[in-house]
Amino acid sequence: MVRYAAIIALILVAMVLGALAWDQTKGWFQFKGEKSTSHQAVLKEVEALGKLELVKYNFKDVVEHEVKYKWVPNSKVILMISGEAVGCIDLQKIKAQNITEKGDTIYIKMPDPEICYFKVNHQESKVYDTKFTYFNDANLVDEAYKAAEKEIQNMAIRNNILAQTQT
């Protein structure tokens, strides 16, 4: 009985010493090289935008995109979408004839409002579920994101983003 206790104690001491030795030397067995990154960036072009962003609409949407088949179960993807649309006025469209001066006041006829951009915010969106995609997940999800982006544009128009931008 004493003999087994001594063997167990010896095994435990060996395990503790082995763990300490591994912890102290584990970096020795890994290949760690010095990291280096170089860039040769050049400014290609400077472009004057002239767009005055005035209104930003944020949207949430649940998108169910389905491809129907005749003989096999339909492919389906469900996305939780976050997106935005921005209304703006393009100041580059102002012409000299749009500017009038009366006394010490200058009047500028502003261009019509427009939607600068609409997009899906991929950091805040996620794929919730996919079913029967038949190894076509990427295309199915891509189609769903494109449909969601088009719906963001349509929702912005339906919610009067141009009138809000004009105001």
Side-chain angles (χ1 to χ4, degrees):
M1 186 66 132
V2 173
R3 187 173 191 194
Y4 291 116
I7 292 173
I8 291 174
L10 186 61
I11 291 173
L12 286 175
V13 169
M15 286 175 55
V16 169
L17 290 175
L20 288 173
W22 175 256
D23 186 54
Q24 294 298 316
T25 62
K26 65 182 173 185
W28 294 353
F29 302 110
Q30 296 177 355
F31 294 102
K32 290 186 178 181
E34 184 177 323
K35 295 179 183 177
S36 173
T37 304
S38 64
H39 297 272
Q40 288 78 34
V42 176
L43 177 62
K44 179 183 170 197
E45 176 181 8
V46 175
E47 184 177 342
L49 298 177
K51 295 194 179 201
L52 180 61
E53 295 182 2
L54 298 168
V55 178
K56 180 178 179 182
Y57 283 17
N58 293 303
F59 296 100
K60 292 283 187 185
D61 190 11
V62 176
V63 178
E64 291 185 37
H65 183 70
E66 186 173 23
V67 177
K68 296 181 180 184
Y69 300 105
K70 193 170 188 174
W71 304 107
V72 294
N74 297 339
S75 296
K76 186 176 184 179
V77 63
I78 300 173
L79 306 175
M80 305 294 219
I81 297 294
S82 179
E84 61 190 45
V86 173
C88 67
I89 294 176
D90 189 351
L91 298 176
Q92 290 184 330
K93 292 181 179 179
I94 297 175
K95 307 286 186 231
Q97 59 265 26
N98 299 116
I99 303 170
T100 56
E101 183 180 345
K102 290 187 181 175
D104 62 348
T105 305
I106 296 176
Y107 295 94
I108 301 173
K109 182 183 181 311
M110 300 299 277
D112 291 332
E114 57 189 60
I115 296 177
C116 284
Y117 64 88
F118 51 93
K119 66 179 181 176
V120 170
N121 183 336
H122 291 278
Q123 282 78 25
E124 294 180 11
S125 300
K126 74 177 214 171
V127 177
Y128 183 73
D129 190 23
T130 58
K131 290 184 180 172
F132 305 113
T133 56
Y134 308 109
F135 306 106
N136 200 20
D137 297 33
N139 288 338
L140 195 63
V141 169
D142 188 49
E143 289 173 5
Y145 273 121
K146 287 178 183 174
E149 195 167 66
K150 186 67 177 162
E151 182 59 19
I152 288 169
Q153 179 188 26
N154 293 335
M155 285 191 302
I157 291 169
R158 285 194 308 266
N159 285 286
N160 296 319
I161 191 170
L162 297 176
Q164 181 72 31
T165 304
Q166 176 111 28
T167 302

